[in-house]
Amino acid sequence: MILYHGSNMAVEKPRLVPAKRLLDFGAAFYLTSDFEQARKWAMHTVKIRETGSAIVSAFEFDDSALSTLRILKFDSPDLEWLHFVAANRTGNAENNQYDLIIGPVANDQAIRTVNDYLKGYFSEDIAIRILQPQKLKDQYAFKTDAALACLQFREAIR
């Protein structure tokens, strides 16, 4: 399986760094199977950091290693996903037991729904009803060195 990482530079050797902001699945090295999503992340990173150029790094993921990793997978933005993302986005998550977390990414529209849920504007039921029909892209959060070892750099795409 080919996965993509968007950044303001080529990333040939991924590493785990402390997160500077609260992300959907916590501190991790994030990838997606959707090239266009990675390209958008790359452009956003260049804009935020005001340096570098938008580059998508492509990795081959040895999915035969899935049986050796501790994985949490969300198939859709359901109640469990909402609670998990909300906990991570508020700094209240306790999810250090996973090597890899896979699931929908809270894009701009979805994160507004999550934030409105956190502020109490929406109940869980309403938030899920808003999130479910959205066609959210996927994200893979590689959280440990064991998970990163399953990635093989292929190329950097400008």
Side-chain angles (χ1 to χ4, degrees):
M1 168 190 307
I2 301 297
L3 297 175
Y4 304 98
H5 176 79
S7 188
N8 63 330
M9 65 182 79
V11 178
E12 293 183 25
K13 295 184 189 234
R15 59 190 173 92
L16 300 170
V17 295
K20 294 180 182 171
R21 56 193 168 95
L22 300 172
L23 304 171
D24 292 354
F25 298 157
F29 182 70
Y30 282 80
L31 296 105
T32 180
S33 65
D34 186 89
F35 177 81
E36 284 305 312
Q37 178 68 32
R39 189 178 64 77
K40 288 176 186 174
W41 287 341
M43 292 186 305
H44 179 73
T45 302
V46 169
K47 184 178 176 182
I48 295 296
R49 295 186 180 164
E50 299 179 338
T51 186
S53 58
I55 298 177
V56 174
S57 298
F59 294 87
E60 186 171 323
F61 173 52
D62 180 6
D63 54 2
S64 69
L66 288 173
S67 62
T68 65
L69 299 175
R70 296 165 298 164
I71 299 170
L72 176 61
K73 184 174 186 209
F74 299 99
D75 293 318
S76 67
D78 58 14
L79 187 59
E80 183 183 5
W81 177 88
L82 177 64
H83 287 168
F84 193 83
V85 170
N88 279 293
R89 289 284 184 154
T90 57
N92 295 315
E94 296 180 18
N95 58 19
N96 294 328
Q97 70 268 28
Y98 299 106
D99 297 306
L100 174 62
I101 302 174
I102 305 166
V105 61
N107 63 15
D108 291 343
Q109 183 178 351
I111 200 59
R112 280 192 293 275
T113 302
V114 171
N115 287 339
D116 286 345
Y117 160 73
L118 289 170
K119 293 173 186 172
Y121 299 155
F122 295 150
S123 68
E124 292 173 344
D125 291 341
I126 292 172
I128 296 302
R129 274 190 261 149
I130 293 169
L131 290 165
Q132 283 289 327
Q134 294 183 31
K135 295 186 182 340
L136 301 178
K137 304 297 184 184
D138 63 15
Q139 60 185 339
Y140 290 69
F142 287 74
K143 299 185 71 65
T144 64
D145 289 330
L148 289 177
C150 300
L151 295 172
Q152 178 69 42
F153 175 77
R154 288 292 171 227
E155 66 178 316
I157 306 161
R158 292 187 182 270

